[in-house]
Each structure stands twice: as structure tokens, then as C-alpha cells.
């Protein structure tokens, strides 16, 4: 089953080199980073908080890349996504090296060895790893994944997926004058517009096959992929070409409900909770006005907007339950949502108690929390 990562427990590091001293310039790479960072943190993709998406453009040395990679690997507990765009080189051992602004083709130590990046992934806390390589010879990284005791074999529980812009012996394509490189352009279009007739969630396997067909039809190099431990089931976005075009009728239908609701059992963070709440209405195909009407006046459109855009959990449950029910969520799933809310509340309370009991802790915060809880109870939340 395909699953969207919890954005609050996920991180992305986007690396790109557009300016070179000794290699051909790749100005489109700069646009790649900006567009992909915006997409990953926006409503069309993973809705990751902006601080969870780090872009490293034209790094002066490998250390400039390794530090944010290590930080993201330490923070991500759900999914860690790493993207590189730029020139790819082959070192004397026939392995992939990622070029940087000062890289010299005959001095491989001036580039970023792919195995260094791979080692960080091996030490990551994340359950899932996604590696996107938009560079020449990026297919060489596939061999590093399939080697004995390689990345896929040692990766954490949920899986690893590597998507490379070209095969081992092929160069990637950056058409002169185009806004983006060929591979990243096709990826951005797929996530923004969806795949007509495709599944509700654009998992990596679906994205890979669509990119192969798209790029091959354009006469561009076709991407390669390697999947281990169900990594292909990780989704990068909902299929916007497949979302309902009209509100779902309020009357009950004898037809089975085939809508793919967000899975509350995969929620690990407050950010993920509210991202999934917003995804519920998207999956329902209902407007805020229609959700309000279906709630029999229990929640207004303003309440719905405030609910899905909060950054702290509601102190009480009824408003969230009314919203879920009005969107059409089945009762058994509403109980799962309630359990996710309760677990997050318990975690927040435990964290607050730990901070208050620590030396020098803020003893004023518990009182503030009580006042906020009373405020929300007064609002009927």
C-alpha cells in the first residue's frame, strides 16, 4: 500500500551545482533547487515545513554538503529525501562522484564521493530513504545499492528507493535555454499535474514508470531505478489528475468507497496530523462550505480553515471528529484518528513535564498551557 510520509518527521536535502570553474555551466540547476524546495513544502507535494527542506547550492567543499546531510539524517525518523543535480563524474575506481564548483576532472578529491553520501544514509534514523540523482552517469549509484551489504541491505526498516536520471554509460540532459534539466522538469510536471488514470497516490514506482515513458517519448535519456524493502511504495504527492472534480454527494451510496483517505496510523507528529487533516478534505472532493453544511452547523468554514492550519493540537476532540465525519470518514477510521490525537497529546504532555522538571526549566509554561486549554474549551474545540 502506498503511503505519504509524515512531513513533521521527514527531512529533505537538495544539493545542486550550477556554476563550475572547470566544467560546463548548468544554470538550470539553480531553478531545479528553487522549484523542488517550493514543491516539497507546498500543498501539491509533501507539505513539509520549510525548515525541513534544506537547499545547498554551489557548495564550496564537500563539508558544506555533509553537515546538513548529517543533521537531516539525525532528525528524520520517517523519510529522508536526498536530491543532487549537477555534473556526475566517474572516479578511477569506476564509482560515481558528484561534481562541485571547484571540481577538476583529473582531481577526483575535489568532488563529493557518492559513497560518502551513502554512508550517511546508512547511519540515518529514518525508516525510509529516497535518493534522486539528476546527473551524468548517475546509474552508477544503482550498483552501490545492489552490492553485498550495500545501501538497500543495511537501510532502516521501511525501505530505500534510488531514482537516477541516466544509465551508467549515458549522460543526463540539460537542454540549453530550458528552465530546468530534462529529468527534473519531467519530475516537477508529474508531481504538479498528476498522471491521468493513475493511482490516488503517486508512489515512487508509479513516478518512475511515468518518467521513463515521458522522457523516452521526448528522445531524452531514460531514468533508472532500484527499490529495496518496499521503498517504491513511498509517495511524493497525491495524484492531482485523479482528485474528485465535484463534491461527493451527501446521500449515502450503495457503491463501495474507493477514496484513498490519509492513514491516521502513520501519523507521528503534530505537523503530520494537520497535513493529513487537510488531505482528508482533498480526498473527499468537498469544499469547505459543503463540509460545513454536512456537519449540520456544528462547524463553520472559518473553523475548518483554522483547524487544518493550526500548529498545536486542539485541547478537546469534538470539532475534529465533526470535521472528519462531515468529510465522509468511516467511524472505524475516526476512532483511529482519535487514537492518533490522544497519542500526540500524551507525547506533548510528557515533553512538557520533562522540560518543567529540568534544571532551569520554564515553570510558567504549565500555567500557560492550562489557560490555553481553558480557552479552547470555551470555544467548543
Amino acid at each position: 500500500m502506498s503511503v505519504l510520509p509524515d512531513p513533521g518527521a521527514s527531512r529533505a536535502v537538495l544539493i545542486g551545482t550550477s556554476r563550475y570553474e572547470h566544467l560546463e555551466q548548468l544554470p538550470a540547476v539553480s531553478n531545479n533547487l528553487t522549484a523542488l524546495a517550493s514543491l516539497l513544502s507546498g500543498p501539491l507535494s509533501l507539505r513539509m515545513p520549510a525548515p525541513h527542506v534544506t537547499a545547498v547550492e554551489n557548495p564550496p567543499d564537500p563539508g558544506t554538503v555533509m553537515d546538513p546531510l548529517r543533521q537531516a539524517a539525525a532528525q528524520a525518523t520517517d523519510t529522508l529525501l536526498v536530491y543532487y543535480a549537477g555534473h556526475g563524474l566517474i572516479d578511477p575506481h569506476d564509482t560515481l562522484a558528484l561534481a562541485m564548483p571547484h571540481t577538476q576532472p583529473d582531481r577526483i578529491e575535489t568532488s563529493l564521493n557518492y559513497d560518502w553520501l551513502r554512508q550517511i544514509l546508512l547511519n540515518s534514523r529514518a525508516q525510509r530513504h529516497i535518493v534522486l540523482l539528476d546527473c551524468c552517469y548517475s546509474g552508477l549509484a544503482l550498483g552501490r545499492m545492489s552490492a553485498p551489504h550495500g545501501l538497500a541491505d543495511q537501510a532502516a526498516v521501511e525501505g530505500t528507493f534510488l531514482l537516477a536520471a541516466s544509465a551508467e554509460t549515458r549522460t543526463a540532459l540539460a537542454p540549453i535555454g530550458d528552465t530546468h534539466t530534462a529529468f527534473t522538469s519531467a519530475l516537477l510536471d508529474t508531481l504538479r499535474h498528476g498522471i491521468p488514470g493513475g493511482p490516488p497516490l503517486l508512489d515512487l514506482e508509479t513516478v518512475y514508470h511515468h518518467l521513463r515513458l515521458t522522457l523516452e517519448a521526448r528522445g531524452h535519456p531514460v531514468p533508472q531505478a532500484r527499490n529495496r524493502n518496499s521503498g517504491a511504495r513511498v509517495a511524493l504527492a497525491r495524484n492531482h489528475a485523479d482528485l474528485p472534480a465535484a463534491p461527493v454527494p451527501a446521500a449515502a451510496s450503495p457503491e463501495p468507497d474507493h477514496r484513498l483517505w490519509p492513514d491516521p496510523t502513520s501519523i507521528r507528529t503534530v505537523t503530520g496530523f494537520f497535513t493529513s487533516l487537510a488531505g482528508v478534505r482533498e480526498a473527499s472532493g468537498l469544499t469547505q462550505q459543503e463540509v460545513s453544511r454536512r456537519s449540520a452547523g456544528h462547524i463553520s468554514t472559518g473553523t475548518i480553515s483554522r483547524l487544518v492550519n493550526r500548529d498545536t493540537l486542539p485541547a478537546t476532540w469534538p470539532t475534529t471528529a465533526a470535521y472528519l465525519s462531515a468529510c465522509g470518514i468511516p467511524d472505524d477510521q475516526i476512532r483511529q484518528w482519535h487514537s492518533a490525537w490522544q497519542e500526540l497529546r500524551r507525547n506533548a504532555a510528557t515533553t512538557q513535564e520533562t522540560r518543567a522538571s529540568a534544571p532551569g526549566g520554564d515553570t510558567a509554561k504549565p500555567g500557560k498551557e492550562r489557560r490555553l486549554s481553558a480557552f479552547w474549551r470555551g470555544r467548543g474545540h
Side-chain angles (χ1 to χ4, degrees):
M1 177 180 175
S2 299
V3 59
L4 280 166
D6 182 326
S10 301
R11 298 293 188 275
V13 180
L14 314 180
I15 309 158
T17 306
S18 59
R19 300 193 304 268
Y20 294 91
E21 293 182 4
H22 308 283
L23 299 168
E24 181 182 357
Q25 307 304 304
L26 295 174
V29 167
S30 180
N31 299 327
N32 287 1
L33 295 182
T34 301
L36 189 55
S38 176
L39 188 65
L40 290 174
S41 60
L44 296 181
S45 184
L46 300 182
R47 285 192 171 95
M48 296 175 67
H52 291 193
V53 181
T54 302
V56 183
E57 184 174 2
N58 295 315
D61 55 68
T64 308
V65 176
M66 301 295 278
D67 288 343
L69 277 174
R70 288 193 180 95
Q71 181 177 359
Q75 294 172 341
T77 55
D78 187 309
T79 299
L80 174 60
L81 184 152
V82 179
Y83 166 91
Y84 171 81
H87 286 299
L89 304 173
I90 303 174
D91 71 12
H93 303 288
D94 290 330
T95 58
L96 179 65
L98 309 178
M100 307 180 75
H102 305 300
T103 292
Q104 300 180 42
D106 58 345
R107 296 183 61 186
I108 204 64
E109 70 275 9
T110 60
S111 60
L112 175 64
N113 190 304
Y114 176 77
D115 276 351
W116 300 348
L117 183 154
R118 169 184 171 274
Q119 191 59 48
I120 288 182
L121 298 185
L122 292 177
N123 297 328
S124 169
R125 298 171 59 208
Q127 294 184 12
R128 309 174 181 95
H129 304 97
I130 301 170
V131 181
L132 306 175
L133 297 177
D134 187 356
C135 60
C136 303
Y137 310 112
S138 53
L140 285 171
L142 300 175
R144 307 305 299 162
M145 291 184 66
S146 60
H149 309 297
L151 173 60
D153 297 319
Q154 298 184 36
V157 177
E158 288 296 334
T160 304
F161 192 93
L162 189 147
L163 182 57
S166 65
E168 295 181 18
T169 57
R170 292 292 305 274
T171 58
L173 187 65
I176 296 176
D178 282 11
T179 303
H180 304 289
T181 57
F183 171 81
T184 297
S185 177
L187 175 64
L188 292 169
D189 287 344
T190 301
L191 299 182
R192 286 168 176 161
H193 305 297
I195 302 173
L201 292 181
L202 297 181
D203 59 56
L204 286 160
E205 183 176 17
T206 299
V207 169
Y208 163 60
H209 288 297
H210 181 71
L211 291 180
R212 279 189 67 89
L213 292 173
T214 300
L215 291 168
E216 187 174 27
R218 296 174 182 174
H220 294 170
V222 295
Q224 309 291 309
R226 184 62 53 82
N227 169 52
R228 288 293 183 273
N229 303 333
S230 74
R233 299 272 67 85
V234 181
L236 292 179
R238 291 188 173 276
N239 187 0
H240 301 287
D242 191 62
L243 290 176
V248 177
S253 170
E255 295 296 323
D257 187 350
H258 295 298
R259 287 169 291 180
L260 185 61
W261 300 112
D263 179 11
T265 64
S266 68
I267 294 172
R268 297 176 175 82
T269 65
V270 173
T271 298
F273 185 85
F274 290 114
T275 298
S276 296
L277 273 187
V280 165
R281 189 177 66 79
E282 288 184 6
S284 74
L286 298 169
T287 64
Q288 288 189 357
Q289 291 79 5
E290 185 66 12
V291 172
S292 177
R293 187 189 69 78
R294 287 164 60 103
S295 75
H298 287 97
I299 48 176
S300 67
T301 56
T303 300
I304 295 169
S305 180
R306 289 192 295 273
L307 176 64
V308 300
N309 288 291
R310 292 173 60 105
D311 55 11
T312 57
L313 288 170
T316 57
W317 175 246
T319 297
T320 305
Y323 165 80
L324 293 168
S325 179
C327 287
I329 293 289
D331 289 344
D332 60 333
Q333 289 189 34
I334 291 179
R335 287 191 288 271
Q336 292 177 341
W337 277 93
H338 188 214
S339 296
W341 171 78
Q342 289 178 314
E343 182 65 23
L344 290 172
R345 292 277 297 173
R346 282 194 292 269
N347 291 343
T350 300
T351 301
Q352 186 65 43
E353 291 175 1
T354 301
R355 290 174 177 171
S357 62
D362 185 354
T363 57
K365 283 187 177 181
K368 181 179 179 182
E369 291 297 322
R370 286 194 293 271
R371 291 195 296 273
L372 286 175
S373 297
F375 170 75
W376 283 113
R377 283 196 295 273
R379 292 288 295 270
H381 283 60

